[in-house]
Amino acid sequence: MKRLFTLVSLLVLSKFSAQTWATEDQYIQKFARYAVEEMEKYKIPASITLAQGLLETGGGQSRLALEGKNHFGIKCKEDWTGKTMKHTDDAPNECFRVYDDPRQSYEDHSIFLSTRKYYANLFNLDMKDYKAWATGLKKAGYATNPRYASILIGKIERYKLYEFDNTSSKEVLYAVLKMYPDLKNDVSFMAQMEPEKYTKKKTPVTVEVPYRQTSYAQQQKRVERIKTRAEMMNTILIKSHPNDGLKYIIIPEDTDVEFIAKKFKISENKLIKWNELESNVLKKNEIVFLESKNSEGNTATYKAEPGEDMHDIAQKFGIKLNKLYAKNRMDEGQKPTPGQLIYLIDKKPRN
């Protein structure tokens, strides 16, 4: 992403505020301290963590960062019991972790790297050798982009993020100020550095609320009641699937094949055939393709999640169901076990 220049000063927001960072510079100003704190706890270079955050979130602008405070694209996996959100990555409606605060996302990223065996060799590297770490992450399979290491290194050197590898959590705000001297005019930022100077004691004030606390919730329920089925269905957008741009939609509310067929002027028989449907009923959040699916997926393999069947996986990755069964040497109707490796491109090797 090209570096943007702006006259708007950094708004240092609390965790309850709207997150609207406009540039990569602002992202660095906001999150450098988290990266340094994680470096001290887990021995991961702050420059690497910060560069990964910049890349994963597009400078803080990604949907996962804004809505889920998830800065490293960490998916749910079977051991996650917290909040979740659906987001399209390798496939539509994949499950991603949702955090209450970006700081939790940074720590989860550290835990992810420090506890996975494929990344163990990284911790034998010099913690200040960001080039070796970037190369090591790519070799360990952190990302599929063949240029991943060079992209990280480019961001580190462009923004001099290596400076944060030589600081501490107590000094990191001064390091940020050195890199961005204009922040000395930003009251919110300076308040972090000198809280005693900017914090004023406030006298508690009792305020009478002229409406009941439940009034907002009641209004929301009323709004939901007003929405009609037709209005909901008119919000359906045709999307482009990561698997070769296949056209698909996500059903917003329970409906039937006839309704979707009429809306998109496609025959019911074609919709049923393309999506291997066993009934005319379509459930909320179901993936429906508006054209024939492909004979292979867009990624090599996938681990089946609890409760998923082969049809779910076929829809998730835009692959014909009979091809998916064949690639995995499974009988029609056979269900995968949680965590089973599902082959999407090549055929499963014989035992």
Side-chain angles (χ1 to χ4, degrees):
M1 187 176 78
K2 293 183 178 180
R3 195 175 185 179
L4 303 175
F5 293 91
T6 178
L7 298 177
V8 181
S9 63
L10 170 68
L11 296 177
V12 180
L13 306 174
S14 71
K15 72 178 184 179
F16 300 107
S17 301
Q19 300 171 338
T20 52
W21 311 292
T23 69
E24 293 196 332
D25 291 297
Q26 288 177 319
Y27 187 92
I28 294 165
Q29 294 161 13
K30 173 69 177 177
F31 295 108
R33 59 176 180 162
Y34 291 177
V36 172
E37 288 170 359
E38 293 305 306
M39 178 176 67
E40 292 180 338
K41 289 187 289 185
Y42 293 94
K43 310 305 178 187
I44 300 169
S47 58
I48 287 290
T49 301
L50 203 51
Q52 286 186 294
L54 276 171
L55 180 60
E56 294 278 355
T57 67
Q61 296 300 298
S62 73
R63 177 172 175 257
L64 282 176
L66 293 171
E67 296 180 22
K69 300 181 178 65
N70 185 335
H71 286 229
F72 299 93
I74 298 181
K75 297 179 182 179
C76 298
K77 304 298 181 184
E78 58 277 0
D79 58 343
W80 178 251
T81 59
K83 300 175 186 176
T84 64
M85 66 182 287
K86 298 294 185 181
H87 180 70
T88 296
D89 187 31
D90 294 322
N93 276 1
E94 289 191 278
C95 183
F96 285 84
R97 302 182 181 189
V98 169
Y99 303 94
D100 294 324
D101 189 288
R103 189 188 297 271
Q104 296 170 336
S105 174
Y106 268 74
E107 179 147 30
D108 211 12
H109 168 263
S110 298
I111 293 171
F112 181 84
L113 289 183
S114 62
T115 58
R116 298 306 196 275
K117 61 182 180 181
Y118 355 100
Y119 304 118
N121 289 335
L122 291 173
F123 294 86
N124 296 324
L125 300 172
D126 182 348
M127 198 170 66
K128 295 185 179 180
D129 189 347
Y130 61 86
K131 291 183 179 179
W133 271 79
T135 303
L137 280 168
K138 177 63 186 76
K139 286 183 178 178
Y142 188 91
T144 57
N145 188 334
R147 296 186 57 251
Y148 187 73
S150 61
I151 292 172
L152 287 185
I153 292 169
K155 286 192 178 296
I156 290 170
E157 294 182 343
R158 180 179 186 180
Y159 294 105
K160 299 181 180 179
L161 302 184
Y162 47 75
E163 296 287 353
F164 296 114
D165 295 338
N166 300 304
T167 189
S168 67
S169 56
K170 293 181 179 179
E171 301 294 327
V172 63
L173 291 179
Y174 292 96
V176 173
L177 187 61
K178 182 179 178 181
M179 293 173 69
Y180 299 97
D182 286 348
L183 284 177
K184 66 179 180 293
N185 299 318
D186 190 291
V187 175
S188 298
F189 181 83
M190 296 304 295
Q192 294 180 83
M193 300 184 65
E194 302 174 304
E196 68 286 345
K197 181 177 178 181
Y198 289 87
T199 303
K200 295 180 181 180
K201 292 184 179 180
K202 296 182 179 179
T203 304
V205 177
T206 302
V207 179
E208 280 192 29
V209 181
Y211 52 84
R212 291 182 298 172
Q213 291 181 341
T214 57
S215 61
Y216 178 74
Q218 289 171 341
Q219 290 174 16
Q220 289 299 100
K221 287 181 180 179
R222 182 170 178 271
V223 169
E224 290 301 318
R225 286 197 299 269
I226 291 172
K227 288 181 179 178
T228 64
R229 176 174 178 265
E231 287 173 334
M232 290 296 294
M233 288 302 167
N234 283 334
T235 64
I236 301 176
L237 297 176
I238 297 177
K239 299 185 178 183
S240 180
H241 195 281
N243 187 358
D244 205 25
L246 292 171
K247 294 179 182 178
Y248 76 98
I249 60 172
I250 294 176
I251 304 299
E253 293 292 337
D254 291 358
T255 186
D256 52 47
V257 173
E258 181 184 6
F259 180 90
I260 298 300
K262 288 180 178 179
K263 179 174 177 62
F264 293 101
K265 297 179 174 58
I266 298 173
S267 76
E268 291 181 50
N269 288 337
K270 284 185 177 180
L271 285 177
I272 291 171
K273 180 182 178 181
W274 292 338
N275 294 279
E276 297 108 354
L277 298 174
E278 295 182 352
S279 75
N280 289 326
V281 178
L282 297 173
K283 296 292 186 181
K284 181 179 179 179
N285 289 329
E286 190 169 346
I287 298 167
V288 174
F289 285 89
L290 304 180
E291 59 184 315
S292 180
K293 293 183 288 183
N294 289 332
S295 296
E296 60 182 32
N298 59 306
T299 186
T301 58
Y302 168 75
K303 285 187 178 180
E305 296 180 356
E308 279 188 325
D309 59 26
M310 293 297 277
H311 182 263
D312 296 330
I313 297 171
Q315 293 300 95
K316 181 177 283 188
F317 288 96
I319 180 173
K320 294 174 181 176
L321 184 57
N322 64 334
K323 299 291 185 181
L324 187 63
Y325 278 123
K327 289 179 186 297
N328 291 276
R329 304 181 189 278
M330 294 171 65
D331 296 328
E332 186 175 342
Q334 186 177 351
K335 292 186 178 181
T337 57
Q340 179 179 333
L341 192 65
I342 303 297
Y343 287 78
L344 303 171
I345 297 178
D346 298 323
K347 198 164 187 176
K348 177 183 177 181
R350 292 186 182 276
N351 293 332

